[in-house]
Amino acid sequence: MAIQNLFGQSLKAVNVGLESFTESLRDQGVEAIHVDWRPPLEGYVEITHTKSGVDIDAANAEAVTRIRSGRPLLVGMGVARDVIPGYGERLILHAGPPVTWERMCGPTRGAVMGAAVYEGWASTYEEAAEMAAAGAFDFAPCHHFHTVGPMAGIVSPSMPVFIVQNETFGNRTYGTQNEGLGRVLRYGAYGDEVLAHLKWMETTLYPALKAVLRATGPIDLRSLLAQALHMGDEGHNRNRAATSLLIRQLAPALIETATKKVAVEVLKFIDSNDHFFLNLSMAAIKAMLEPAEGIEGCTLVTVMARNGTEFGIRVASMPEQWFTAPAPVVQGLWLPGYTADDANPDIGDSSITETGGLGGFAMAAAPAIVRFVGGSSALALQVTQEMYQITAGEHESFTVPALNFRGTPLGIDVRKVMATGILPFINTGIAHKKPGVGMVGAGLVRAPRQCFEEAFKQIAKGAL
Amino acid sequence: MIQTTIKSGEYYDSVTLLQVAQGLLKVHGVEDAAVVMGTPANKGILKDAGLLTPEAEAASADDLIIAARIAGKAKVDAAARAGELLKASRTSKAESGTEPPPKTLSAAVQQLAGANIALVSVAGRYAAGVARDALNQGMHVFLFSDNVSVEDEIALKTTGREKELLVMGPDAGTAILNGVALGFANAVIPGPVGVVAASGTGLQAVTSQLTRMGVGITQAIGTGGRDLSEAVGGIMMLEGLKALQADPATEVLLLVSKPPAPTVAEKVLKQLKASDKPAVVCFLGGKAKVIREAGGIPARTLEEAAHLAAALARGKSPDEALKSLRSQRRELKKLAKKLVGRLRMRQNYFRGLFSGGTFCYESQLILNKILDKGKIVSNAPVKKKKKYKMADANQSVGHTAVDLGEDEFTVGRLHPMLDPTLRNRRILHEAKDPETAIIFLDIVLGYGVHPDPAGAAVEAIREAQAWLKKERREVLFIASVCGTEGDPQNVLAQEATLREAGVIVLESNAAATRLAGYILG
């Protein structure tokens, strides 16, 4: 089509740059759209194929297909040392990328100390700390053991875990039972109250739920999440609907299999804990993402996780590597009595939900939560829509009514993050930096650019 | 003192309540505040914050607790303020979820079906990437950004040529496509003249003047200032020329540029022969003979180019245009004789303060032929001759032509077509120099530029005139206005504003320059 074919056509203009140009065009009656542009990140170059000739877009499309088609089911429960493959006897799992005792933040240390006493490895918390410093425990990221944990994310051998199986591919993931808010282990609390609660969860809650699951059979977590998204949840910071749907599904079998006393305790506990479903949504999304790991040439992010000191990501084509940066401090709304000075840096494996297309990526389904950053409900839509610009595809089962049931953005492409300068949003709770105080607020945070710049450098090495 | 208020039967999302609490904290006198539903967990939070009064303790899980610790004697009604904030949180204004501005070019293309042109004006180091993206999406490109490397320019224009897409720029300030002004351009009427220009102000000048003479254009394609260099080889000038040669609506061709590199001039002139359409070629300061030999009609100034093209468009001979310009010159000489008497002995010099680089260039060419008191200096001398380069662009010496759009004036500032501040200061500065005879201005109108350039200049002119009156001296202000009646600023209104302030206004930069030259020559 020769240049002169443009003469006589209506101009339809895209403007990148000075806003006055868009205004001038509109003043002249021209259909014009303004691009809210920002520069690419440092080091970006266009990459389409690996050195070995793999088409990256095709690899990413394959990954999206695998993730979308995953069907995570809650198939049962067990004790960590028994059911998590390769679980060592003095192994303590934590959220986020690898970290040593010396570099652990307050909440994580508190949780480790609490776990050590809970396990009976130490008789006092001071002793636990000394043992940790002396290297008596093995630490590893939950992610290295197909496990995910919110906040400090501490898992120790005696803790009961949910077993989630991706029916489509057969892979399994694990997560502990969510303790509730306030002075709990995952916020770094320890002490008699905390341990008593953990014991209750081990000796009362776990056996009850295990029996329920035997009676009900596998629970379709994907289906629950899909319904919850239509009820104002987003699977990370807002889990009230999903928790409610879960109780509804479990209650009859609970009444049948447990004593009245235990049933009442269990139901009261789940009812008091709006985030009970969180640990299940995390394990479910982890199970959906795992089959994408190892796809050659795939530039999609399969893990985003924080340990309170560092933020780390993993990329599908390099499943063993972590790309880390200092964990950011979240700007958010503070609970009464707290300010930004009290906040711990970003912490928890719960950003696996954003990695898999929920949480902040599904914010358009949970407009009320957007008040954390002082915006209107239009902001919730904008956040999700911004994320479409850095993802390779969309979910099929997780849809947003307000966007005409469009699937949520799925598959963060490192190349697109670099090209657009748009960093993934995460919708998260904020912990107090001192162990054991608990949640001090919640907010929206962006994943650090350094992780993506480092990951991209590696991708580029394999491509150029 | 803790104020506690319980509201029964009201439900608010916990998130909303957090925001209301934050709002309370901003009230002067409020030391701490909590707005929560009366659940056991929330009561625990209140207790920890020291806000749990017996009243709050007694609240049920369905009650809303508004608790605030007030400082000393401060008069605060926390409940009332909280009530206002809660009410405001229920926004009655339905904010529709209309699509937010796209953050990438591809997202934009998805939203605007059939997008056929991209305007790019981001910082230079990124502009080439965005332009490349646009070409890959099948869009023509108007590349306003400068500081794009010559290698990138060559690559983009080569790709454009292959894909048969326009790449206008980099450093293209102006274009008019299908009657639509892109960048800084004027409202012009449709007609038979097709323009390709490597100069933004040059394009504005010829298209505006044609419209004022009642002759319209089909297209005005801007190629960017570096297109006709040896390295770039005139790719877009050639592609634009070919397209207009093939365009049935274009009857007369008009090319505008500073003199191209010789090999490039050859290519361009050779292309003229590919069609029968008459072609006016304005290579400012270039050799007329070469153009004539190639079958083109040479124009020595932008004004001459517009007059020649208009004559051809009307089916008249070019000689008629030249004749009318000669008679204009005679009139200008008469006017010059009248004006010279207003100057004193020491006032000998021309001070040109230009916002358009091409006008600065054109004026230098004209004055160098007329003035016999030595050549003119500039911060942007003709042919980049070092001999005529100003030592200090801020200090005029003798006859001076300053291009205020050059880098030394625009780093960290808006272009003079957008921001009159620098030129206004300079007007005053020149007026105070006892050797200044003429302060010369180009006023450029159009979409995208200052909303009232004449008004802005007149402010400084009046201030200068007031100062000069005290010195019992007069300076001749001479100007031309580049624009049309259809422009947002309206050329007739702008000319009137200038004349009311005693400025001598001519219809073109060339005419105004000639007048200045005749007065001082």
Side-chain angles (χ1 to χ4, degrees):
Chain A
M1 181 119 117
I3 286 175
Q4 57 266 29
N5 288 76
L6 180 63
F7 307 155
Q9 266 182 34
S10 284
L11 287 190
K12 287 192 178 177
V14 175
N15 185 41
V16 188
L18 301 177
E19 271 195 60
S20 61
F21 285 177
T22 307
E23 281 161 34
S24 298
L25 287 166
R26 290 193 182 137
D27 286 344
Q28 298 176 77
V30 175
E31 230 184 306
I33 192 165
H34 188 81
V35 177
D36 180 17
W37 180 87
R38 72 195 70 177
L41 296 182
E42 202 62 52
Y44 172 70
V45 289
E46 211 183 313
I47 292 178
T48 56
H49 289 76
T50 65
K51 276 188 182 136
S52 51
V54 174
D55 180 335
I56 293 179
D57 281 335
N60 291 349
E62 168 65 23
V64 167
T65 303
R66 288 190 197 179
I67 299 168
R68 275 158 54 123
S69 62
R71 194 138 170 258
L73 306 176
L74 173 58
V75 295
M77 299 183 72
V79 172
R81 72 160 64 78
D82 296 330
V83 297
I84 299 182
Y87 205 98
E89 192 35 55
R90 281 285 161 111
L91 178 63
I92 296 182
L93 301 182
H94 62 79
V99 66
T100 58
W101 171 257
E102 288 70 37
R103 296 196 68 223
M104 281 181 188
C105 65
T108 306
R109 283 195 177 196
V112 167
M113 286 150 59
V117 173
Y118 166 78
E119 292 290 337
W121 298 334
S123 38
T124 68
Y125 300 102
E126 297 71 36
E127 194 193 335
E130 280 160 24
M131 289 177 74
F137 313 132
D138 297 319
F139 294 116
C142 291
H143 277 289
H144 289 192
F145 287 83
H146 307 283
T147 302
V148 276
M151 289 292 148
I154 295 299
V155 181
S156 63
S158 309
M159 289 185 186
V161 294
F162 291 113
I163 305 170
V164 174
Q165 180 161 315
N166 184 338
E167 198 194 37
T168 319
F169 295 94
N171 57 304
R172 284 186 165 194
T173 59
Y174 310 90
T176 55
Q177 304 163 109
N178 189 287
E179 301 156 85
L181 283 179
R183 287 217 176 76
V184 289
L185 193 78
R186 78 170 181 286
Y187 282 103
Y190 48 86
D192 294 343
E193 206 183 280
V194 176
L195 262 54
H197 185 51
L198 283 175
K199 262 301 168 202
W200 176 82
M201 284 168 51
E202 185 193 329
T203 56
T204 304
L205 181 64
Y206 157 56
L209 290 177
K210 187 167 175 173
V212 164
L213 289 173
R214 253 191 248 112
T216 60
I219 305 282
D220 187 337
L221 297 177
R222 190 178 82 181
S223 166
L224 283 182
L225 277 168
Q227 292 171 60
L229 273 189
H230 289 186
M231 292 166 68
D233 270 10
E234 32 79 285
H236 179 167
N237 228 356
R238 215 177 154 86
N239 298 287
R240 181 180 289 179
T243 301
S244 307
L245 290 172
L246 183 69
I247 296 191
R248 220 168 70 161
Q249 263 201 283
L250 301 180
L254 180 63
I255 303 297
E256 298 233 335
T257 57
T259 65
K260 178 169 164 180
K261 177 172 180 289
V262 167
V264 167
E265 276 178 33
V266 169
L267 288 173
K268 273 191 169 166
F269 169 66
I270 300 180
D271 175 51
S272 75
N273 182 1
D274 266 347
H275 289 292
F276 185 77
F277 196 87
L278 173 62
N279 296 35
L280 288 168
S281 98
M282 287 167 62
I285 296 298
K286 174 77 179 161
M288 291 175 83
L289 284 163
E290 276 190 337
E293 287 172 10
I295 295 178
E296 195 189 349
C298 179
T299 56
L300 304 188
V301 177
T302 50
V303 174
M304 287 197 294
R306 319 85 105 207
N307 57 32
T309 308
E310 285 194 309
F311 190 114
I313 70 170
R314 295 181 112 172
V315 177
S317 56
M318 300 174 278
E320 304 300 304
Q321 268 191 281
W322 284 99
F323 300 97
T324 61
V329 172
V330 183
Q331 300 305 319
L333 255 187
W334 307 104
L335 288 172
Y338 299 114
T339 68
D341 291 331
D342 301 313
N344 197 68
D346 204 21
I347 186 172
D349 282 334
S350 52
S351 42
I352 196 70
T353 53
E354 277 82 9
T355 313
L358 293 183
F361 281 48
M363 208 189 221
I369 214 170
V370 101
R371 285 301 185 69
F372 279 140
V373 288
S376 65
S377 59
L379 177 63
L381 294 176
Q382 282 165 30
V383 168
T384 294
Q385 281 170 317
E386 197 182 294
M387 297 300 99
Y388 284 118
Q389 306 196 34
I390 55 171
T391 47
E394 296 172 12
H395 264 294
E396 211 168 24
S397 14
F398 302 140
T399 62
V400 181
L403 294 177
N404 214 17
F405 299 95
R406 187 174 178 186
T408 61
L410 173 61
I412 302 165
D413 185 347
V414 174
R415 300 174 304 164
K416 288 191 180 183
V417 172
M418 293 293 292
T420 62
I422 297 170
L423 294 163
F425 264 124
I426 296 164
N427 205 334
T428 183
I430 306 168
H432 199 289
K433 62 189 178 196
K434 292 202 199 108
V437 180
M439 190 165 130
V440 296
L444 265 182
V445 70
R446 298 255 194 194
R449 83 161 59 116
Q450 203 186 321
C451 297
F452 296 90
E453 286 168 350
E454 294 303 315
F456 187 79
K457 269 196 207 137
Q458 286 304 116
I459 291 169
K461 277 199 192 140
L464 304 167
Chain B
M1 199 269 280
I2 299 175
Q3 283 182 18
T4 310
T5 310
I6 313 292
K7 280 180 186 267
S8 264
E10 289 193 39
Y11 171 74
Y12 291 90
D13 195 82
S14 59
V15 178
T16 302
L17 296 180
L18 277 173
Q19 182 145 20
V20 171
Q22 258 203 350
L24 271 184
L25 282 169
K26 292 198 179 107
V27 175
H28 183 73
V30 174
E31 286 174 352
D32 202 356
V35 182
V36 293
M37 299 305 290
T39 63
N42 286 337
K43 285 180 190 172
I45 292 174
L46 288 178
K47 189 164 177 209
D48 290 341
L51 290 171
L52 189 66
T53 59
E55 234 186 306
E57 176 78 67
S60 79
D62 294 318
D63 290 331
L64 178 63
I65 304 172
I66 301 167
R69 186 181 309 113
I70 311 298
K73 294 202 163 93
K75 282 200 161 145
V76 179
D77 187 347
R81 181 67 188 134
E84 283 168 33
L85 292 166
L86 286 168
K87 202 166 160 204
S89 77
R90 292 241 154 93
T91 36
S92 51
K93 191 174 73 171
E95 253 152 333
S96 66
T98 45
E99 288 206 73
K103 294 215 150 75
T104 59
L105 198 68
S106 4
V109 170
Q110 275 178 27
Q111 275 186 43
L112 183 61
N116 48 20
I117 185 164
L119 284 72
V120 182
S121 55
V122 298
R125 58 188 287 228
Y126 306 115
V130 179
R132 194 167 12 250
D133 216 349
L135 289 173
N136 289 338
Q137 307 257 6
M139 291 188 276
H140 299 268
V141 176
F142 174 73
L143 183 46
F144 181 87
S145 314
D146 61 1
N147 291 317
V148 173
S149 76
V150 65
E151 292 81 19
D152 278 332
E153 179 170 355
I154 296 168
L156 286 168
K157 285 178 171 172
T158 307
T159 305
R161 182 173 52 201
E162 281 163 26
K163 289 180 182 269
E164 298 183 311
L165 294 169
L166 285 168
V167 177
M168 293 180 282
D171 204 19
T174 314
I176 307 174
L177 287 185
N178 297 345
V180 176
L182 303 176
F184 301 156
N186 304 88
V188 299
I189 56 177
V193 180
V195 179
V196 190
S199 148
T201 355
L203 189 154
Q204 287 189 267
V206 300
T207 55
S208 295
Q209 222 176 348
L210 279 167
T211 286
R212 290 188 81 176
M213 292 191 286
V215 176
I217 63 161
T218 49
Q219 313 289 338
I221 297 169
T223 65
R226 201 169 44 193
D227 191 64
L228 296 170
S229 63
E230 180 92 40
V232 182
I235 299 177
M236 269 304 131
M237 173 66 71
L238 285 164
E239 290 305 303
L241 180 51
K242 283 185 207 159
L244 293 174
Q245 284 174 326
D247 171 38
T250 299
E251 292 165 16
V252 177
L253 302 160
L254 172 42
L255 307 182
V256 178
S257 159
K258 292 180 190 166
T263 52
V264 182
E266 212 184 301
K267 267 194 275 184
V268 173
L269 294 173
K270 192 167 164 199
Q271 179 61 32
L272 291 183
K273 296 213 167 93
S275 105
D276 288 332
K277 297 181 187 176
V280 176
V281 180
C282 180
F283 289 162
L284 283 170
K287 297 262 183 275
K289 185 165 167 226
V290 190
I291 295 170
R292 257 186 234 112
E293 279 168 7
I297 299 148
R300 287 161 295 181
T301 64
L302 299 165
E303 174 183 56
E304 199 170 275
H307 279 257
L308 287 168
L312 290 163
R314 291 191 173 116
K316 304 222 158 83
S317 109
D319 285 334
E320 291 217 21
L322 296 173
K323 200 166 148 191
S324 105
L325 286 173
R326 277 196 295 271
S327 104
Q328 178 219 67
R329 282 201 279 280
R330 284 193 290 273
E331 293 304 312
L332 290 174
K333 282 181 181 159
K334 285 186 199 157
L335 179 57
K337 285 207 176 90
K338 286 191 200 146
L339 293 168
V340 115
R342 283 153 67 168
L343 298 168
R344 288 169 149 227
M345 281 290 280
R346 275 187 76 193
Q347 289 179 279
N348 290 321
Y349 297 121
F350 171 92
R351 301 283 155 87
L353 307 176
F354 294 89
S355 56
T358 308
F359 289 145
C360 182
Y361 196 90
E362 182 182 62
S363 292
Q364 288 178 64
L365 289 174
I366 293 171
L367 288 172
N368 282 338
K369 292 212 177 96
I370 302 177
L371 296 174
D372 53 20
K373 280 191 170 66
K375 298 242 195 245
I376 192 164
V377 297
S378 173
N379 63 326
V382 166
K383 292 187 181 141
K384 301 199 169 97
K385 285 202 171 138
K386 283 205 181 119
K387 200 166 139 190
Y388 301 110
K389 181 138 174 131
M390 287 167 82
D392 173 8
N394 289 302
Q395 190 51 52
S396 303
V397 178
H399 297 302
T400 307
V402 186
D403 179 359
L404 291 161
E406 272 291 298
D407 286 347
E408 60 262 41
F409 294 110
T410 55
V411 173
R413 303 192 76 100
L414 286 174
H415 193 275
M417 287 197 207
L418 296 167
D419 177 7
T421 315
L422 267 189
R423 179 154 77 172
N424 281 3
R425 263 189 233 151
R426 193 61 177 260
I427 288 173
L428 223 55
H429 178 83
E430 302 296 345
K432 290 183 177 173
D433 182 345
E435 295 192 319
T436 301
I438 293 171
I439 293 179
F440 186 93
L441 306 171
D442 61 344
I443 305 290
V444 181
L445 313 180
Y447 289 98
V449 304
H450 192 279
D452 181 15
V458 159
E459 270 181 47
I461 291 170
R462 288 204 198 278
E463 204 187 321
Q465 286 167 334
W467 192 90
L468 288 164
K469 194 166 173 189
K470 282 193 272 160
E471 301 290 302
R472 297 178 200 264
R473 186 163 87 240
E474 216 194 311
V475 160
L476 295 173
F477 289 94
I478 301 179
S480 68
V481 184
C482 170
T484 65
E485 282 177 66
D487 285 337
Q489 304 89 344
N490 188 344
V491 69
L492 296 177
Q494 294 281 291
E495 286 178 344
T497 301
L498 292 167
R499 289 199 176 104
E500 273 163 35
V503 179
I504 301 148
V505 181
L506 282 303
E507 66 263 29
S508 72
N509 184 64
T513 309
R514 274 189 225 287
L515 178 63
Y518 296 149
I519 293 170
L520 299 175

